[in-house]
Structures are given as C-alpha cells and as structure tokens.
Amino acid sequence: MANPVPFDPTKRAASFLEEFKAFALKGNVVDLAVAVVIGGAFGKIVDSFVKNIVMPLISLVIPGDQAYVNWKFVAGEKEIPYGLFLGEVVNFILVAFAIFILLVKLVGSMIKKRTTEAAEPPAPSAEVTLLTEIRDRLPAR
C-alpha cells in the first residue's frame, strides 16, 4: 500500500493566504477599489445636486403645488411615485454627462494628444541625414 501524502493544513492555509495576497494587492485590483470608492463619493455629490438643486428648479417650471418627490399617479388603491423615478432619471443623465465630459473630452483629448506626439518620429540627426544623402547619390547596382 502506498504511503499517502500527509495533509498539512498550515501549509494549505499559508498557500491560500499567499494566493489571496497576490490577487488582492495587484495594482489593477487596488486601482479598481479606489475607483469604486471615488465613484461612490462622486455619485453622492451628483445625487445631492439633482435632489437639492435641479429637481426643485424643475418643480418650479412645471405647474403644481407639490415638490417632485410628491408627484404620484394613483391607480385604484396604488400610488405610483413617478416624481422619484424622474429624479433618478435626471440623476443618471447628469452622472452620465459628467463621466462623458471627464473621460471622453478631458482624458480622451489628453490621450489623443499624447498619441499624436508619440506617432511623430524624431527628426534624424545630422549624421543620419548626411549618410542618407550619400546613399542616395551612389549609383544603383
């Protein structure tokens, strides 16, 4: 009978922890975590802007005695709060617009500028230019 490989839980636990550490501390995972936290904070700012500034202005333009939060349809016994939904739609549109401006226009233009700068080859040195002229004047064989 073959001798089974001894089971050592401490080695397995250490191996598992090393794998987890390698995964969790990769640059991409840390960058993603930072982006999620900043995105959540940015979402709260935009949400506050929509709820406290934009939607009250909309409720001034659209006739009605109540703020947008109280706008509701009544169907039978049920209330459908379309005002809250409208607030979330405006919130989404503003977040999408802000991300568009930030990523597409600002970051995109910076990336495009770097790409066009990198695409232009550097001017040849004086020695290279001279050697090219000499090569071009030699008779073809």
Side-chain angles (χ1 to χ4, degrees), residues 68-131:
Y68 77 97
V69 174
N70 297 323
W71 295 348
K72 299 174 184 168
F73 286 124
V74 178
E77 303 264 330
K78 300 287 182 182
E79 291 183 346
I80 303 168
Y82 72 92
L84 294 174
F85 175 73
L86 181 62
E88 294 302 323
V89 169
V90 172
N91 191 359
F92 169 76
I93 290 170
L94 288 175
V95 168
F97 182 71
I99 290 172
F100 171 76
I101 294 297
L102 213 108
L103 293 179
V104 175
K105 294 300 180 184
L106 295 178
V107 175
S109 66
M110 288 189 311
I111 290 173
K112 186 176 180 181
K113 186 177 178 181
R114 281 187 188 165
T115 305
T116 55
E117 288 173 0
E120 298 174 12
S125 65
E127 293 86 7
V128 171
T129 305
L130 179 62
L131 289 172

